Amino acid sequence: MPRAVREQQMLDAAVRTFARRGYRNASMDDIAEQAGVSKPLVYLYLNSKDELFAACIRREAASLVAAIRAAVEHDAPADRRLWSGLHGFFTHTAEHPDGWALLHVQARTHGDPFAREVAAMRAEIVEFVTHLLRTAVREHGCGAARTGRMTGGEAAGLAYALVGAAESLAEWAGGRAGGGPSAEEAAATLMNFAWAGLGNLLRGERWSPGERVGA
């Protein structure tokens, strides 16, 4: 078997083991058995448990980012572009629950350097969503785009909020033992929550603490 194929086989086994048993409880013996290889071969290819864990994080992070980018319908209206990106995120996390558990739970609980790998992935996704939001403002051609009231920092803040909400919804959906929403339903739920407010911003309508509902 070619080295690259064998290495991916080991990474598949490691992702499953780390996600289901946790980093501390997972052993190289477990991973070797899952992969159908000897433990010395795992060490030969991936050097140590820490390096194996980091390699799993990098692979799963790159796979998630690629899935989101590929899902976006770039020729569609702004709302459809955002929805398609969210749909891609929820589809990928549902289809790769072990990879998502590795990124969202395991990597974040074991400190540097693993948390930095996830932070870098999250920053890339936030930057991409920020770009989608700012493009939507420019294309709308009125409201915030005309007045310049949506700053770069505001777009980034909205992107962080949206990404955080998507992560929480994916965690909730994945924890319902098959009873959670589909990827399409999860994306629609988040769009219904977020897009109405974003639509107001695109029209230049902003909420402020001095305004009372129904006043």
Side-chain angles (χ1 to χ4, degrees):
M1 183 179 292
R3 179 187 177 103
V5 176
R6 177 69 77 187
E7 188 170 315
Q8 291 305 310
Q9 185 179 11
M10 293 179 191
L11 290 174
D12 289 341
V15 168
R16 286 194 302 272
T17 305
F18 285 132
R20 299 176 188 186
R21 296 179 59 86
Y23 174 77
R24 299 196 185 283
N25 291 329
S27 71
M28 296 296 266
D29 287 309
D30 295 331
I31 293 166
E33 183 178 354
Q34 282 276 332
V37 300
S38 66
K39 184 166 71 170
L41 189 60
V42 178
Y43 278 109
L44 177 65
Y45 276 41
L46 295 155
N47 300 321
S48 69
K49 184 177 176 180
D50 279 0
E51 289 189 39
L52 176 56
F53 191 54
C56 289
I57 294 168
R58 285 192 292 270
R59 190 189 74 165
E60 296 306 308
S63 180
L64 176 57
V65 171
I68 295 169
R69 290 184 178 277
V72 172
E73 301 172 8
H74 291 284
D75 296 329
D79 60 335
R80 182 78 187 187
R81 288 200 299 273
L82 185 57
W83 179 88
S84 61
L86 289 171
H87 188 269
F89 169 81
F90 289 118
T91 297
H92 187 85
T93 55
E95 291 178 350
H96 302 84
D98 290 335
W100 176 238
L102 182 79
L103 295 173
H104 190 62
V105 180
Q106 295 300 325
R108 290 181 168 184
T109 58
H110 295 290
D112 290 338
F114 309 128
R116 286 202 305 268
E117 296 277 0
V118 177
M121 173 205 71
R122 196 168 192 265
E124 185 174 355
I125 294 174
V126 167
E127 183 179 0
F128 184 57
V129 174
T130 301
H131 171 72
L132 291 179
L133 294 177
R134 299 193 74 177
T135 300
V137 170
R138 287 197 302 271
E139 290 180 358
H140 200 270
C142 64
R146 185 175 61 238
T147 62
R149 294 174 71 186
M150 181 180 281
T151 66
E154 186 174 31
L158 290 170
Y160 268 106
L162 193 60
V163 170
E167 290 172 344
S168 295
L169 190 55
E171 181 180 15
W172 173 76
R176 298 191 65 200
S182 66
E184 185 169 346
E185 290 168 338
T189 295
L190 193 49
M191 284 295 292
N192 283 324
F193 176 75
W195 189 253
L198 289 171
N200 287 338
L201 277 175
L202 292 176
R203 292 188 295 272
E205 301 172 10
R206 300 169 64 89
W207 177 87
S208 73
E211 296 174 357
R212 291 182 300 165
V213 175

